[in-house]
Amino acid sequence: MNLSTKALNEASNWLLFTLIVLEIFLVIIYLAGIVLIERPFELFDLDNKDTIPSFFQASQLFIIGLISLVFFICGRHSSQPPSQIFLLTVALLFFSACADEALKINYLLPIEDHRSWKSTYLGIAVVTPFVFYRDCIALWRIYRKAVLLIAMGWGVFVIGGIGLEILKDEFLQPKLSQFFERDELIPFFIEKLRAAVEEFSKMLGESLILYGLFSYIVKRLELENLSSTDKG
């Protein structure tokens, strides 16, 4: 590993650590507001738009989409996996997720459409790796660490983020309504705790995907440097 790739690898390690610490900090502030004043502090509401956590998540999603788009534009004549259509699809998916996170577009839909929108998100998240299984296999053979990290991040994002929201609609809310009145504190705190876990899962998943992308970049630079040395 030469100096540039070593520095990038160390920087990505520190970035992951910093992101996770920041995410824990945002969750703590959110829960502190719930405990102290029974509502989130306005700028630190994890479940609303125009807040620091919303901007933070949207930024992560945008950067992931941007990295994919850069590889799509710059790798037109490259023989390295993944394919161009895979990179473009990933870029569009994360740019769409960024817009939804920043503007909370799905929250503007009626409840029935809102639920179907979440199911659509879940379907896309699950189906996409299968549609591009050839790219995933090719990447796994060369960039095993990066693929593993991205898969972990994807899983945390999907299960903890989208999955917990579907669980709320299909199981948690109906069960709580059987035992508690709507204005009681226990279901209120349970829902806020669930929202905290959901949003933390999404942020952590995004951070792991970013870390995996940096791992991919480091490995790709190493392979290109090795190839240049062999040709020289």
Side-chain angles (χ1 to χ4, degrees), residues 39 51 85 119 131 135 137 157 160 166 180 190-191 214:
R39 59 181 175 81
T51 64
I85 186 64
S119 299
V131 172
D135 292 278
I137 292 172
F157 181 87
I166 293 175
F180 302 99
I190 290 176
E191 166 54 23
F214 280 113

Short mmCIF file of all heavy atoms in Angstrom, two decimals, residues 39 51 85 119 131 135 137 157 160 166 180 190-191 214:
data_model
loop_
_atom_site.label_atom_id
_atom_site.label_comp_id
_atom_site.label_asym_id
_atom_site.label_seq_id
_atom_site.Cartn_x
_atom_site.Cartn_y
_atom_site.Cartn_z
N ARG A 39 -40.97 16.22 24.01
CA ARG A 39 -40.97 16.40 22.56
C ARG A 39 -39.52 16.64 22.13
O ARG A 39 -38.69 17.11 22.91
CB ARG A 39 -41.85 17.58 22.12
CG ARG A 39 -41.45 18.92 22.72
CD ARG A 39 -42.38 20.02 22.26
NE ARG A 39 -42.09 21.30 22.90
CZ ARG A 39 -41.13 22.12 22.52
NH1 ARG A 39 -40.37 21.83 21.47
NH2 ARG A 39 -40.91 23.25 23.17
N THR A 51 -34.09 19.64 9.71
CA THR A 51 -33.41 19.49 10.99
C THR A 51 -31.97 19.05 10.73
O THR A 51 -31.62 18.64 9.61
CB THR A 51 -34.10 18.45 11.88
OG1 THR A 51 -34.00 17.16 11.26
CG2 THR A 51 -35.56 18.79 12.10
N ILE A 85 -24.53 0.37 -16.01
CA ILE A 85 -25.95 0.44 -15.65
C ILE A 85 -26.13 0.24 -14.15
O ILE A 85 -27.01 0.84 -13.53
CB ILE A 85 -26.77 -0.61 -16.44
CG1 ILE A 85 -28.26 -0.45 -16.18
CG2 ILE A 85 -26.31 -2.03 -16.12
CD1 ILE A 85 -28.84 0.85 -16.64
N SER A 119 -43.49 -0.11 1.39
CA SER A 119 -43.37 -1.45 0.83
C SER A 119 -42.63 -1.42 -0.50
O SER A 119 -41.84 -2.32 -0.80
CB SER A 119 -44.76 -2.07 0.63
OG SER A 119 -45.45 -2.16 1.86
N VAL A 131 -31.18 -8.34 -9.05
CA VAL A 131 -31.18 -7.92 -10.45
C VAL A 131 -29.75 -7.79 -10.97
O VAL A 131 -29.44 -8.17 -12.11
CB VAL A 131 -31.94 -6.59 -10.62
CG1 VAL A 131 -31.78 -6.04 -12.04
CG2 VAL A 131 -33.41 -6.78 -10.29
N ASP A 135 -22.94 -8.31 -11.24
CA ASP A 135 -22.04 -7.26 -10.74
C ASP A 135 -21.61 -7.56 -9.31
O ASP A 135 -20.44 -7.37 -8.96
CB ASP A 135 -22.75 -5.91 -10.79
CG ASP A 135 -23.01 -5.44 -12.20
OD1 ASP A 135 -22.09 -4.88 -12.82
OD2 ASP A 135 -24.13 -5.64 -12.70
N ILE A 137 -21.37 -10.48 -7.81
CA ILE A 137 -20.43 -11.61 -7.80
C ILE A 137 -19.05 -11.15 -8.27
O ILE A 137 -18.02 -11.50 -7.67
CB ILE A 137 -20.95 -12.77 -8.67
CG1 ILE A 137 -22.20 -13.38 -8.04
CG2 ILE A 137 -19.87 -13.83 -8.86
CD1 ILE A 137 -22.90 -14.41 -8.91
N PHE A 157 -29.48 -0.65 7.03
CA PHE A 157 -30.34 0.42 6.54
C PHE A 157 -31.75 -0.10 6.24
O PHE A 157 -32.74 0.51 6.63
CB PHE A 157 -29.73 1.03 5.27
CG PHE A 157 -30.52 2.16 4.68
CD1 PHE A 157 -30.33 3.46 5.12
CD2 PHE A 157 -31.45 1.93 3.68
CE1 PHE A 157 -31.06 4.51 4.57
CE2 PHE A 157 -32.19 2.96 3.12
CZ PHE A 157 -31.99 4.25 3.57
N GLY A 160 -33.24 -2.12 9.73
CA GLY A 160 -33.45 -1.19 10.83
C GLY A 160 -34.26 0.02 10.45
O GLY A 160 -35.05 0.54 11.25
N ILE A 166 -42.23 -0.39 8.87
CA ILE A 166 -43.32 -1.29 8.48
C ILE A 166 -43.82 -2.05 9.71
O ILE A 166 -45.03 -2.26 9.88
CB ILE A 166 -42.84 -2.27 7.39
CG1 ILE A 166 -42.54 -1.50 6.10
CG2 ILE A 166 -43.87 -3.37 7.14
CD1 ILE A 166 -41.96 -2.34 4.99
N PHE A 180 -53.38 0.56 25.54
CA PHE A 180 -53.20 1.92 26.02
C PHE A 180 -54.07 2.89 25.24
O PHE A 180 -54.38 2.65 24.06
CB PHE A 180 -51.73 2.37 25.89
CG PHE A 180 -50.75 1.49 26.61
CD1 PHE A 180 -50.04 0.52 25.93
CD2 PHE A 180 -50.53 1.64 27.98
CE1 PHE A 180 -49.12 -0.29 26.58
CE2 PHE A 180 -49.63 0.84 28.65
CZ PHE A 180 -48.92 -0.13 27.94
N ILE A 190 -42.56 4.66 23.78
CA ILE A 190 -42.20 3.48 22.99
C ILE A 190 -42.03 3.86 21.52
O ILE A 190 -41.07 3.45 20.85
CB ILE A 190 -43.26 2.36 23.14
CG1 ILE A 190 -43.20 1.77 24.55
CG2 ILE A 190 -43.03 1.27 22.09
CD1 ILE A 190 -44.26 0.72 24.82
N GLU A 191 -42.95 4.66 21.01
CA GLU A 191 -42.87 5.09 19.62
C GLU A 191 -41.65 5.95 19.37
O GLU A 191 -40.96 5.81 18.34
CB GLU A 191 -44.14 5.84 19.23
CG GLU A 191 -44.06 6.62 17.92
CD GLU A 191 -43.63 5.78 16.72
OE1 GLU A 191 -43.81 4.54 16.75
OE2 GLU A 191 -43.11 6.37 15.76
N PHE A 214 -15.27 3.70 0.31
CA PHE A 214 -13.88 4.13 0.44
C PHE A 214 -12.93 2.94 0.41
O PHE A 214 -11.83 3.02 -0.14
CB PHE A 214 -13.69 4.93 1.73
CG PHE A 214 -14.12 6.36 1.63
CD1 PHE A 214 -15.21 6.84 2.35
CD2 PHE A 214 -13.46 7.25 0.80
CE1 PHE A 214 -15.62 8.16 2.24
CE2 PHE A 214 -13.85 8.57 0.68
CZ PHE A 214 -14.93 9.03 1.41
#
